[in-house]
Amino acid sequence: MKKNNRPIYPFTAIVGQEEMKLALLLNIVDPKIGGVMIMGDRGTGKSTTIRALADLLPEIETVANDPFNSHPTDIELMSENVRQLKEAGEELLLAQKKVPMIDLPLGATEDRVCGTIDIEKALTEGVKAFEPGLLAQANRGILYVDEVNLLDDHLVDILLDSAASGWNTVEREGISIRHPARFVLVGSGNPEEGELRPQLLDRFGMHAEIRTVKDPILRVQIVEERSEFDRSPDEFLQKYNLQQEVLRQRIINAQEKLNKVQLDYEIRVKISQVCSELEVDGLRGDIVTNRAAKALAAFEGRDEVTVDDVLRIITLCLRHRLRKDPLEEIDSGQKVEKVFQRIFSNL
């Protein structure tokens, strides 16, 4: 923890909410999973957990003074300006920085999110005068939208498009600027305040549902831990320092191992069979389930995906993609599990 920064509650100290924590960790291991939608009651630690995760992550190497957090070697994560400097053979100044964690306010305008082009400067001086927005700041980090179900659908579309493609394009009066915007999109909301449209919900890689803890002993433990943190943050952080470091190293190892993880053809067929039987539209469900299963195997330090890996993540990947039947009493998560058990029973 840097000096003068407000202390952040440690990720490893968060009690319960395993589904949410797993979904977030897997998206950090493989950002191409496509983000997480977290739906649950108020006061269940959604924001605390997401901020704790951002604080836990290892620092990234960036090009110094670059507003897009450009990667020094990966062209896909580089701004146009940095790429031109690199092609010209100029030496880039590098800097280490914390993974950016950007909060998107509910009242944000499109210009604030995407960035703006100064047309007057572009026309009079002949330069592309671009003022970066929140998507630029979020590149290579986490973009968090609280109450995403209350956000304007048009803005949600922009966020999801950028998260899927890894790029943001701003066009004004015939001037076009494109910059990298690869981030883990995390949305949270309370189902009582309304659901997201199905076509937007489907674009989130995973969907975690969280509930208020009912067990009185667990509730007391959570309250006591929080009180201890508020009373003496430095001592509390010290207590969890080793666990935080162990988890940080696990994430780094998993990111390095990810491309080596194998997913057996027979398991891939069964995953697609589950998606087909559940009448999941499109192939996004199949792709995300495959990616998440590999990310989980990598996180656990294994080179091969097991059936148990698929069981642990398939509900997170598919529950929000099922067609809603208002007359059906069975929960969508149970429905996914039921079909999974039947199809995978002979493996």
Side-chain angles (χ1 to χ4, degrees):
M1 190 186 72
K2 289 176 187 169
K3 282 179 180 156
N4 305 324
N5 276 5
R6 198 176 67 179
I8 292 171
Y9 198 82
F11 188 83
T12 49
I14 293 164
V15 178
Q17 310 300 11
E18 299 305 321
E19 194 174 278
M20 169 171 64
K21 290 194 288 192
L22 179 64
L24 288 167
L25 286 167
L26 296 185
N27 269 273
I28 295 301
V29 173
D30 183 4
K32 288 183 180 174
I33 286 171
V36 192
M37 178 67 189
I38 303 164
M39 284 301 242
D41 306 327
R42 288 180 293 272
T44 44
K46 298 188 286 285
S47 301
T48 301
T49 306
I50 293 151
R51 288 187 177 84
L53 178 68
D55 189 59
L56 167 78
L57 298 179
E59 289 190 335
I60 54 172
E61 192 173 48
T62 64
V63 175
N65 305 316
D66 180 76
F68 306 99
N69 308 314
S70 288
H71 195 288
T73 55
D74 187 345
I75 289 174
E76 286 293 301
L77 297 170
M78 235 181 242
S79 67
E80 198 177 320
N81 190 36
V82 170
R83 189 165 49 79
Q84 286 170 357
L85 290 172
K86 195 166 177 65
E87 284 169 359
E90 291 198 32
E91 195 175 332
L92 301 172
L93 283 173
L94 305 182
Q96 295 286 122
K97 67 184 289 187
K98 287 289 290 176
V99 168
M101 153 82 190
I102 305 298
D103 261 307
L104 189 133
L106 265 183
T109 60
E110 187 181 334
D111 282 352
R112 178 78 185 96
V113 173
C114 299
T116 55
I117 297 170
D118 187 336
I119 301 295
E120 191 179 340
K121 195 171 181 182
L123 293 174
T124 55
E125 298 177 29
V127 293
K128 288 184 178 180
F130 181 61
E131 186 65 42
L134 295 174
L135 293 181
Q137 293 172 34
N139 187 38
R140 301 178 67 201
I142 297 170
L143 182 64
Y144 175 48
V145 191
D146 195 10
E147 308 293 359
V148 69
N149 43 343
L150 301 180
L151 194 67
D152 182 62
D153 280 352
H154 171 59
L155 279 182
V156 179
D157 258 333
I158 290 170
L159 297 179
L160 290 164
D161 280 340
S162 295
S165 67
W167 291 89
N168 172 44
T169 306
V170 183
E171 292 183 340
R172 298 281 186 280
E173 312 294 333
I175 298 167
S176 178
I177 287 179
R178 188 168 175 260
H179 69 77
R182 188 162 299 169
F183 49 82
V184 174
L185 179 63
V186 182
S188 69
N190 182 349
E192 290 172 12
E193 289 163 350
E195 292 280 350
L196 263 184
R197 284 191 289 128
Q199 57 269 47
L200 292 178
L201 200 52
D202 173 65
R203 302 270 294 279
F204 279 91
M206 301 174 103
H207 186 285
E209 286 183 2
I210 54 174
R211 297 276 173 266
T212 305
V213 176
K214 301 289 185 221
D215 179 7
I217 293 166
L218 209 51
R219 287 174 79 117
V220 169
Q221 186 190 339
I222 294 166
V223 171
E224 284 179 349
E225 292 257 286
R226 183 72 218 194
S227 301
E228 191 185 331
F229 171 75
D230 291 338
R231 192 168 52 250
S232 179
D234 290 343
E235 278 179 39
F236 191 82
L237 289 168
Q238 196 61 42
K239 187 169 88 170
Y240 282 94
N241 202 23
L242 181 61
Q243 290 179 48
Q244 290 279 98
E245 196 47 55
V246 168
L247 183 53
R248 189 177 289 121
Q249 195 54 52
R250 269 186 83 183
I251 292 169
I252 294 167
N253 294 344
Q255 288 170 335
E256 289 169 359
K257 189 181 264 291
L258 184 63
N259 290 332
K260 301 184 188 109
V261 176
Q262 299 297 312
L263 179 54
D264 189 69
Y265 177 74
E266 199 176 343
I267 293 179
R268 293 204 303 269
V269 170
K270 299 263 185 202
I271 287 170
S272 289
Q273 199 179 333
V274 172
C275 293
S276 178
E277 288 216 12
L278 289 167
E279 296 183 352
V280 173
D281 291 332
L283 294 173
R284 206 173 268 132
D286 309 50
I287 294 165
V288 169
T289 307
N290 285 324
R291 281 193 179 282
K294 284 184 177 180
L296 179 56
F299 184 65
E300 308 239 306
R302 289 180 278 103
D303 292 325
E304 201 157 321
V305 172
T306 65
V307 173
D308 186 56
D309 292 332
V310 181
L311 172 62
R312 284 172 65 189
I313 55 90
I314 198 162
T315 302
L316 284 164
C317 299
L318 298 182
R319 64 149 64 97
H320 57 303
R321 304 178 198 278
L322 306 192
R323 292 177 187 174
K324 291 271 190 293
D325 182 353
L327 300 175
E328 198 161 38
E329 289 177 14
I330 186 168
D331 171 68
S332 57
Q334 289 176 304
K335 197 173 174 185
V336 172
E337 218 167 293
K338 202 172 162 187
V339 173
F340 171 88
Q341 296 292 3
R342 183 161 46 77
I343 289 172
F344 276 81
S345 58
N346 60 350
L347 265 188

